[in-house]
Amino acid sequence: MPVQINPSILSADFARLADEARAVEGADWLHVDVMDNHFVPNLTLGVPVVESLARATDTPLDCHLMIEDPDRWAPRYVEAGAGSVTFHVEAAAAPVRLAREIRAKGARASMALKPATPIEPYEDLLPELDMLLIMTVEPGFGGQAFLDIMLPKIRRTRELIAKHGLELWLQVDGGVSDATIERCAEAGADVFVAGSAVYGASDPAEAVRALRTRAQAATAGASWACAH
């Protein structure tokens, strides 16, 4: 499966979101962090901004909902134009039903796990998903340092994906940079969310290309990719 780089607009200039979206048009997806100041201690943006972004860029939107009651709100983000919607399993009342509803509305369904949430209890849910997101920082703020202790969890998740023969994307989000992306790729991730590493660079598009090159090189030599 090809490496994918998803710049996070959480690190972009919110006064220039349309321009910032166009600055990374070589990216695979534009990652949109939705926070409600309840599930996480921060407040960002919601459905109207996603609708506007969907009109402003041809890059598909990957919406990460760090919110309470995703069962109610996630379908609204599909209707707003998101091509992929991620809900947190810690907040979802009925994750299987929600994933199926997201898919039925035409988007990819993704489930996120906080650092302390183990993957093993959710093994049976994996066939219902298009992507699984392993948080490599505590959700709620950008610019945090990568948590190396998440690497074994990424490996275990990749093993479960292989065990069931699934074409499931494995995304990592938090502290992804030139210094960490290779470790994530070697562990089994193939979709990488990068915020400050992209939008903090003088040339965001070049930063995306550089991250992709590093991840591709690491993936090429990874045992999980060779086995796949």
Side-chain angles (χ1 to χ4, degrees):
M1 290 179 285
V3 162
Q4 299 184 64
I5 306 296
N6 299 9
S8 170
I9 63 164
L10 185 64
S11 298
D13 182 349
F14 273 33
R16 303 172 50 252
L17 281 185
D19 292 337
E20 297 282 65
R22 286 190 284 269
V24 293
E25 284 184 343
D28 299 282
W29 297 77
L30 190 64
H31 191 81
V32 182
D33 288 305
V34 178
M35 305 183 193
D36 64 357
N37 199 32
H38 293 287
F39 181 71
V40 292
N42 199 359
L43 184 65
T44 54
L45 47 82
V47 169
V49 175
V50 171
E51 289 175 336
S52 296
L53 276 171
R55 293 192 296 268
T57 179
D58 292 330
T59 305
L61 303 183
D62 167 30
C63 286
H64 177 193
L65 308 185
M66 288 169 272
I67 62 174
E68 293 183 350
D69 200 8
D71 302 77
R72 174 187 177 190
W73 290 107
R76 293 280 304 277
Y77 285 88
V78 182
E79 295 164 3
S84 176
V85 177
T86 301
F87 60 88
H88 269 266
V89 71
E90 301 91 353
V96 171
R97 183 175 64 197
L98 179 54
R100 290 180 177 180
E101 185 173 2
I102 292 169
R103 281 175 153 180
K105 285 183 172 289
R108 295 180 63 85
S110 171
M111 188 173 77
L113 279 66
K114 289 183 177 182
T117 303
I119 179 58
E120 287 79 6
Y122 304 104
E123 178 179 352
D124 292 342
L125 275 64
L126 297 182
E128 301 288 340
L129 304 169
D130 298 295
M131 183 170 72
L132 190 81
L133 167 55
I134 301 294
M135 292 298 299
T136 45
V137 298
E138 290 294 340
F141 294 94
Q144 298 183 65
F146 179 80
L147 295 174
D148 286 275
I149 58 172
M150 291 298 102
L151 292 171
K153 183 176 175 181
I154 297 169
R155 292 189 188 96
R156 292 196 304 273
T157 303
R158 175 54 66 186
E159 289 168 0
L160 291 177
I161 292 171
K163 172 184 173 182
H164 293 279
L166 301 173
E167 295 294 328
L168 181 66
W169 296 352
L170 180 51
Q171 185 180 68
V172 289
D173 180 4
V176 175
S177 68
D178 284 344
T180 61
I181 194 167
E182 290 169 311
R183 278 176 279 164
C184 294
E186 289 165 357
D190 53 12
V191 184
F192 306 88
V193 177
S196 54
V198 171
Y199 282 111
S202 57
D203 185 342
E206 176 56 33
V208 170
R209 288 191 289 270
L211 287 169
R212 190 188 305 280
T213 297
R214 286 182 178 272
Q216 286 174 334
T219 299
S223 59
W224 68 267
C226 295
H228 183 83

